[in-house]
Amino acid sequence: SSWHKGYSLNTPRARAAPPTGDSVLFEDTSSAAPAMNSQGYYTPGYNMGEPSNDMQGGGGVNNLFTDPMANAAMMYGSSLANQGKDMVNKEISRFMSVNKLKYFFAVDTRYVLKKLMILMFPYTHRDWEVRYHRDTPLTPRQDVNAPDLYIPTMAFITYILLAGMALGIQKRFSPEVLGLCASTALVWVIIEVLVMLLSLYLLTVHSDLSTFDLVAYSGYKYVGMIFTVLCGLLFGSDGYFVALAWSSCALMFFIIRSLKMKILPSLSSDSMGMGSSAKPQLRLYITVASALFQPIIIYWLTSHLVR
Amino acid sequence: MALNMAFTLYSLIQTAILCTNAIAVLHEERFLSKIGWGVDQGVGGFGDDPGVKAQILNLIRSVRTVMRVPLIIVNSACIVLLLLFG
């Protein structure tokens, strides 16, 4: 019948099982179920494919609301989901304050573009100070030097997708390898943040670098990695090494200039006249070591993608 | 993957447990005092900058104090799981 033809044209991708065509033959529950499946997403296709049988489609949709059991199940499910959501919110807010996290995601397009340009070409940027407003740092929307977590998160996800694509080009792709690549990169970020926290604690550097700041600065290397992998895929091995050198230098410059403001003591203050002279040296070593770590890890995580 | 150091989150947890265990077993009397890292030898200056050695000793002592009971629990769980599932 024409109803069947229209149905098969429009729902090859539908998640609803084929038996919807035979809903007249099934019991009430199964005619309610396919209506629920196709309700949110595929309803337009579902309706378009059955012009001559809107009684059936209408009957299927009406069954959802008149069937008391499905109704009750849906309401119970939504109240359960709300309870779960409240509980999760309460537990998460015990570990990290969501407000602090919101600060890192308050970005806009202008900030993202400027920051990406600074990450790739930091040599012309003049003023590296993070501006404050009555003791609270300005949001990334107002200050281009403020660290954010939007760029690192997006860059991380893009890197994973790019890695999958590069592995696919080399015909070495499989979902497990992709998961392995993602968790390896994540573990390196965690290790780097922990080492930085440990060294900052040992040297009693009283800076206002929070954990999220360190995660942000550590995540900026993914932008360099994406650029390097892209050049490696497009231009071969030569392009890979040129892009690696370029993004390494840019990233090292960026990290040193950004962290210098926060870690190293300001040279103009004469507070610690007799302070141990080893301190500024050690702080400088930490900054330089963290900067030198970036090209190493970029090479380590991307060389296998560009043979 | 060509990487021979392909990490998973599970290996990170293993590393963390092993490192914490290593710090927690440093015995105060038998070992640390002998090499000059006892609790009384750490607090040098009372200025506002304790110095690297004092911070390390502080860290070791606090790990020993804070993580003693959780480490017992975590180690027991690890032993049972490794015995059961290899």
Side-chain angles (χ1 to χ4, degrees):
Chain A
S1 70
S2 66
W3 181 70
H4 274 282
K5 266 195 281 223
Y7 173 77
S8 61
L9 268 180
N10 272 318
T11 53
R13 303 172 298 277
R15 287 199 210 103
T20 21
D22 301 320
S23 59
V24 274
L25 304 176
F26 281 76
E27 296 303 310
D28 270 338
T29 53
S30 65
S31 72
M36 258 168 48
N37 276 346
S38 59
Q39 190 190 42
Y41 197 45
Y42 293 107
T43 317
Y46 187 91
N47 282 337
M48 273 192 318
E50 300 160 320
S52 65
N53 212 356
D54 39 7
M55 185 189 67
Q56 210 70 16
V61 171
N62 278 339
N63 267 346
L64 171 65
F65 295 108
T66 56
D67 182 11
M69 244 176 47
N71 230 359
M74 202 170 71
M75 283 206 275
Y76 178 66
S78 69
S79 87
L80 204 59
N82 277 339
Q83 269 182 358
K85 195 168 67 169
D86 290 336
M87 201 166 61
V88 165
N89 275 345
K90 198 165 61 111
E91 294 299 316
I92 285 188
S93 64
R94 277 206 294 175
F95 289 113
M96 55 181 188
S97 67
V98 186
N99 282 336
K100 193 77 167 56
L101 203 57
K102 275 191 203 163
Y103 158 80
F104 285 100
F105 283 99
V107 295
D108 58 352
T109 318
R110 193 187 66 96
Y111 169 82
V112 170
L113 287 177
K114 282 194 73 171
K115 194 78 176 193
L116 287 180
M117 217 200 64
I118 294 178
L119 277 171
M120 284 285 105
F121 195 77
Y123 311 107
T124 57
H125 189 69
R126 289 287 154 226
D127 179 23
W128 292 85
E129 280 276 340
V130 178
R131 284 181 279 276
Y132 284 84
H133 173 71
R134 293 189 209 140
D135 263 0
T136 61
L138 287 180
T139 62
R141 269 201 206 116
Q142 298 146 340
D143 174 25
V144 84
N145 287 321
D148 72 314
L149 277 178
Y150 174 79
I151 292 181
T153 316
M154 293 294 139
F156 180 71
I157 297 177
T158 313
Y159 163 73
I160 296 177
L161 294 175
L162 254 190
M165 203 177 75
L167 287 174
I169 289 181
Q170 296 173 10
K171 306 205 184 344
R172 284 194 296 146
F173 179 80
S174 78
E176 294 93 26
V177 174
L178 200 65
L180 201 60
C181 190
S183 53
T184 306
L186 197 61
V187 161
W188 277 114
V189 165
I190 294 179
I191 288 180
E192 182 180 352
V193 169
L194 285 181
V195 168
M196 278 294 287
L197 278 176
L198 183 71
S199 46
L200 285 182
Y201 168 76
L202 285 183
L203 292 185
T204 57
V205 176
H206 297 294
S207 72
D208 52 352
L209 280 179
S210 74
T211 313
F212 287 135
D213 287 333
L214 289 177
V215 173
Y217 283 122
S218 174
Y220 280 139
K221 68 165 80 65
Y222 286 111
V223 180
M225 273 203 261
I226 293 174
F227 173 67
T228 312
V229 171
L230 270 180
C231 286
L233 286 178
L234 289 174
F235 302 120
S237 175
D238 298 331
Y240 171 71
F241 283 111
V242 165
L244 180 67
W246 174 272
S247 60
S248 307
C249 292
L251 205 60
M252 283 198 287
F253 191 86
F254 175 81
I255 290 281
I256 289 186
R257 287 300 290 268
S258 300
L259 291 184
K260 189 173 73 165
M261 296 282 168
K262 306 222 160 176
I263 297 184
L264 293 178
S266 54
L267 299 171
S268 60
S269 73
D270 55 351
S271 53
M272 310 267 288
M274 50 84 75
S276 53
S277 59
K279 282 305 188 53
Q281 261 189 358
L282 283 178
R283 296 187 187 193
L284 189 65
Y285 285 161
I286 287 187
T287 321
V288 172
S290 123
L292 280 181
F293 179 70
Q294 316 283 338
I296 297 178
I297 197 68
I298 292 182
Y299 177 71
W300 188 259
L301 284 179
T302 55
S303 68
H304 68 279
L305 296 176
V306 184
R307 279 285 178 74
Chain B
M1 258 181 55
L3 291 188
N4 47 5
M5 280 175 80
F7 286 132
T8 57
L9 286 179
Y10 176 65
S11 70
L12 187 68
I13 296 180
Q14 265 187 328
T15 312
I17 293 181
L18 285 176
C19 283
T20 320
N21 274 329
I23 296 182
V25 298
L26 297 173
H27 194 272
E28 178 60 44
E29 286 177 9
R30 293 185 200 143
F31 176 65
L32 292 179
S33 307
K34 300 283 172 52
I35 63 173
W37 275 24
V39 277
D40 47 348
Q41 293 142 347
V43 192
F46 276 97
D48 46 353
D49 262 355
V52 183
K53 180 177 165 188
Q55 289 289 93
I56 296 180
L57 299 190
N58 231 356
L59 189 63
I60 295 179
R61 193 163 49 101
S62 35
V63 165
R64 236 191 2 250
T65 322
V66 168
M67 297 294 291
R68 184 156 282 178
V69 173
L71 268 183
I72 295 177
I73 301 176
V74 169
N75 283 336
S76 314
C78 275
I79 291 174
V80 168
L81 285 175
L82 284 177
L83 279 179
L84 286 180
F85 299 118

